[in-house]
Amino acid sequence: MAKAIPARSEDYSLWYNELVKKADLAEHSDVRGCMVIKPYGYSIWEKMQQALDKMFKETGHTNAYFPLFVPKSFLAREASHVEGFAKECAIVTHYRLKNAPDGKGVMVDPESKLEEELIVRPTSETIIWNSYKKWIQSYRDLPILINQWANVVRWEMRTRLFLRTAEFLWQEGHTAHATAEEAVEETLRMLDVYANFAENYMALPVIKGRKSEGEKFPGAVDTYCIEALMQDGKALQAGTSHFLGQNFAKAFDVQFASKEGKLDYVWGTSWGVSTRLMGALIMAHSDDDGLVLPPRLAPIQVVVVPVFKSEEELNAIRGSVQPLINDLRKQHVTVKLDDRDTHKPGFKFAEWELKGVPVRITIGPRDLENGTAEVFRRDTKEKQTLKMEQVAVDVLVLLDEIQKTIYHKALDFRSTMTTQVNTFDEFKQVLEEKGGFIEAHWDGTTETEEKIKEETKATIRCIPLHAREEQGMCVYSGRPSGRRVLFARAY
RNA sequence: CGGGGUGUAGCGCAGCCCGGUUAGCGCACCUGGUUUGGGACCAGGGGGUCGCAGGUUCGAAUCCUGCUACCCCGACCA
């Protein structure tokens, strides 16, 4: 069988790039660093959005929309925030074009220079807190629990489809609270929402943790994250939730009158996940034959491939499978009947495997005679022939089982690829020969973190929330440490 | 932004070093026929300002200059 994509073992990077393109998820646009998300890829993103949006609403949030442009002065209000984003901003300086003097094309009209430049949002804390100032006077106005689905721009030097693009789609939650406790609680609640989504929908096991000082979000007091492990042993941050303290409230002068009549600054959080999750989904489960999608996010859960020689045969098969298709749809299973007469069955098998459809049902003349259907599962590539009347029930069970199987496969992989080390030599050896997560003691200083990063390219992915208290010595400095933290090379 | 590489049909490439008919090949595409339970076969056909702009030359895909985009390795990052 001709392979559509290179093997992971040969070139993991190339495998990923080719898979994204061949599975029709996305492609490079002619705009630097920007991608076109194609219909099949976008429909997976829509499934993610639907699930997340429901979870946000269930936790009391509502959606709103704020401007794409942020005045330069807004971004500058919070010192570490602007420092963090300054190097990757797209800036609007003019608002008009005119015909070029040589008659060829158009040019920027120098007369149209803006008084104040506008930044294309790299994130929306500043523009949103500027609004919150107008909305909040009293404790009665709190909390504000808002989410926004939007695009943002970060002018990255090197881009990769879904993992890092100059423009990407995401959601950003921005909340305002009367107390620090409430804001911290919100920060952790949303971290849990992300972890649940990753594990239950994406079938992606994640580790919840807190970022080190060096890795936290510019403008945050604390950054929490979920970290996942990809098949090549590199880590990928799948979502972040920030406790902003009163930083943005102070920067935008957002004060409220408490019950006791005292003025205080508002406490904030922000949290987000992006189309980067698509990259995580692809890299976590897929194989050398193509995508492997968890049933709960697959745009097509079941594809039916009829095998036929003539129009009459096809019609006979249609008559036979239509009740099954109706039955599955009634159970909210997304089914596609691939009755194209322009491609042979073998082609269709390969194509739907490349696209990661979890279950395939094949029905041909043989089955018609025997009253059977062949059921194929994408994750293990196992086939079985079932009695027609049994198929609907079995497929429902199978979809659940595939969801669980790929989760456990990823979890087993992560367990195997997580190593405890106690010396720096061990640390470097594991990193070079095995990769994956490394649990090691760290003295808690940014200096040590930086040095380890310089020497090994590994970073502290997070300080796990559920790490055991354990006395030890920093693998780098030998100074005392109270718990192990999670290191890895990362995307 | 530093180092290296590549832009030739929708995709993947050859041709370039050493300038010279009508710029080739595979896949894909279109037409007809035979096929159809793991990526079909035969026959015919269409499609290219050779990344862009200059320059050298009787003549440029090929040589020179500038620009631009993308890929790989660094630095930065979700």
Side-chain angles (χ1 to χ4, degrees):
Chain A
M1 186 168 86
K3 291 284 178 187
I5 54 174
R8 285 161 296 176
S9 55
E10 279 166 31
D11 188 337
Y12 191 82
S13 244
L14 193 61
W15 166 79
Y16 174 82
N17 284 333
E18 287 298 304
L19 174 51
V20 169
K21 284 182 266 190
K22 295 278 167 59
D24 239 6
L25 301 176
E27 63 189 21
H28 289 286
S29 75
D30 289 334
V31 183
R32 181 203 160 83
C34 297
M35 65 178 164
V36 175
I37 305 176
K38 298 182 75 177
Y40 192 62
Y42 199 80
S43 58
I44 298 173
W45 175 241
E46 282 180 317
K47 296 275 255 185
M48 290 184 172
Q49 284 185 301
Q50 283 159 14
L52 283 165
D53 201 66
K54 187 159 175 279
M55 293 165 103
F56 298 156
K57 303 232 165 100
E58 283 168 357
T59 43
H61 304 85
T62 49
N63 288 329
Y65 189 79
F66 295 85
L68 170 67
F69 303 117
V70 180
K72 190 177 73 180
S73 58
F74 282 24
L75 206 68
R77 295 265 192 103
E78 214 287 332
S80 61
H81 188 69
V82 68
E83 197 192 324
F85 286 107
K87 284 171 290 184
E88 51 188 35
C89 286
I91 301 142
V92 179
T93 55
H94 294 76
Y95 60 85
R96 195 164 62 206
L97 298 172
K98 64 176 192 179
N99 290 325
D102 62 5
K104 290 180 191 164
V106 288
M107 60 178 283
V108 173
D109 185 348
E111 303 284 305
S112 71
K113 196 170 181 336
L114 291 173
E115 279 295 310
E116 179 178 3
E117 293 89 344
L118 297 172
I119 313 300
V120 180
R121 60 180 167 218
T123 180
S124 303
E125 275 77 7
T126 55
I127 193 98
I128 287 178
W129 279 89
N130 182 67
S131 287
Y132 284 0
K133 177 178 169 55
K134 299 173 200 165
W135 299 354
I136 299 167
Q137 279 87 38
S138 135
Y139 73 94
R140 291 190 184 93
D141 300 321
L142 296 171
I144 293 180
L145 304 172
I146 283 180
N147 176 65
Q148 146 163 294
W149 289 96
N151 58 337
V152 288
V153 169
R154 297 181 188 176
W155 211 264
E156 299 289 350
M157 290 303 171
R158 285 181 64 191
T159 59
R160 294 192 67 191
L161 293 168
F162 290 119
L163 295 174
R164 182 169 301 109
T165 47
E167 179 195 19
F168 55 94
L169 306 183
W170 77 347
Q171 60 68 218
E172 46 182 329
H174 296 272
T175 68
H177 307 265
T179 66
E181 294 70 34
E182 198 184 302
V184 169
E185 195 184 310
E186 164 78 3
T187 308
L188 293 172
R189 178 183 304 119
M190 299 322 287
L191 188 71
D192 280 339
V193 164
Y194 288 155
N196 284 340
F197 173 75
E199 301 199 330
N200 295 320
Y201 285 84
M202 296 175 68
L204 183 68
V206 294
I207 291 178
K208 293 186 279 187
R210 189 165 54 80
K211 285 291 187 190
S212 65
E213 278 301 301
E215 296 275 332
K216 75 180 192 191
F217 177 77
V221 171
D222 268 321
T223 288
Y224 296 86
C225 62
I226 51 172
E227 292 284 330
L229 193 65
M230 302 296 105
Q231 289 182 70
D232 62 346
K234 285 170 81 174
L236 188 132
Q237 179 177 301
T240 50
S241 185
H242 316 291
F243 170 57
L244 301 175
Q246 295 173 310
N247 290 351
F248 284 90
K250 283 178 179 162
F252 287 86
D253 190 32
V254 187
Q255 298 193 70
F256 73 105
S258 69
K259 236 176 201 164
E260 296 78 35
K262 285 202 304 194
L263 272 187
D264 193 9
Y265 288 104
V266 172
W267 299 84
T269 83
S270 67
W271 28 273
V273 295
S274 71
T275 36
R276 189 176 222 216
L277 288 180
M278 294 286 293
L281 186 71
I282 295 157
M283 284 200 292
H285 306 305
S286 301
D287 62 25
D288 294 348
D289 291 324
L291 272 183
V292 174
L293 292 175
R296 295 189 80 178
L297 293 177
I300 300 167
Q301 293 170 308
V302 175
V303 65
V304 179
V305 178
V307 179
F308 56 95
K309 289 194 174 78
S310 63
E311 188 67 27
E312 297 78 64
E313 226 165 46
L314 175 58
N315 281 332
I317 293 169
R318 277 204 190 102
S320 162
V321 295
Q322 202 53 54
L324 168 64
I325 292 174
N326 293 344
D327 202 2
L328 286 169
R329 286 185 178 150
K330 225 175 279 169
Q331 310 288 326
H332 305 106
V333 176
T334 316
V335 188
K336 181 180 177 64
L337 172 65
D338 183 2
D339 56 2
R340 289 176 292 176
D341 60 1
T342 50
H343 295 277
K344 289 177 60 177
F347 179 92
K348 295 179 184 177
F349 295 166
E351 186 178 42
W352 295 117
E353 280 162 37
L354 181 61
K355 291 190 148 193
V357 174
V359 172
R360 182 183 74 225
I361 299 171
T362 306
I363 297 179
R366 224 157 54 201
D367 297 293
L368 230 41
E369 221 169 275
N370 302 335
T372 58
E374 181 191 83
V375 174
F376 169 92
R377 57 186 287 186
R378 173 65 184 86
D379 60 335
T380 61
K381 304 196 182 79
E382 289 161 349
K383 289 174 190 169
Q384 54 184 141
T385 300
L386 299 176
K387 281 279 164 203
M388 200 62 185
E389 55 274 16
Q390 201 188 325
V391 172
V393 174
D394 275 36
V395 163
L396 280 171
V397 174
L398 185 57
L399 286 170
D400 271 346
E401 194 184 314
I402 293 171
Q403 182 82 30
K404 288 192 188 104
T405 302
I406 62 177
Y407 173 79
H408 282 107
K409 192 179 170 200
L411 185 62
D412 287 347
F413 176 78
R414 191 186 72 187
S415 305
T416 308
M417 291 295 281
T418 301
T419 315
Q420 286 203 355
V421 308
N422 296 311
T423 68
F424 196 50
D425 282 341
E426 250 185 294
F427 185 102
K428 287 186 284 193
Q429 193 189 350
V430 169
L431 206 56
E432 284 309 317
E433 291 171 11
K434 183 178 173 188
F437 282 133
I438 296 180
E439 296 174 331
H441 281 285
W442 165 60
D443 64 18
T445 68
T446 302
E447 193 195 356
T448 298
E449 183 182 4
E450 285 295 318
K451 288 205 167 128
I452 293 176
K453 186 178 175 183
E454 268 170 45
E455 290 180 37
T456 67
K457 293 180 204 156
T459 51
I460 297 175
R461 300 320 305 155
C462 70
I463 302 155
L465 291 189
H466 306 298
R468 288 183 293 122
E469 295 288 315
E470 176 192 308
Q471 291 309 308
M473 285 192 328
C474 173
V475 286
Y476 191 84
S477 69
R479 287 193 284 243
S481 148
R483 72 179 60 72
R484 290 175 184 271
V485 301
L486 207 60
F487 285 89
R489 288 194 181 137
Y491 277 99

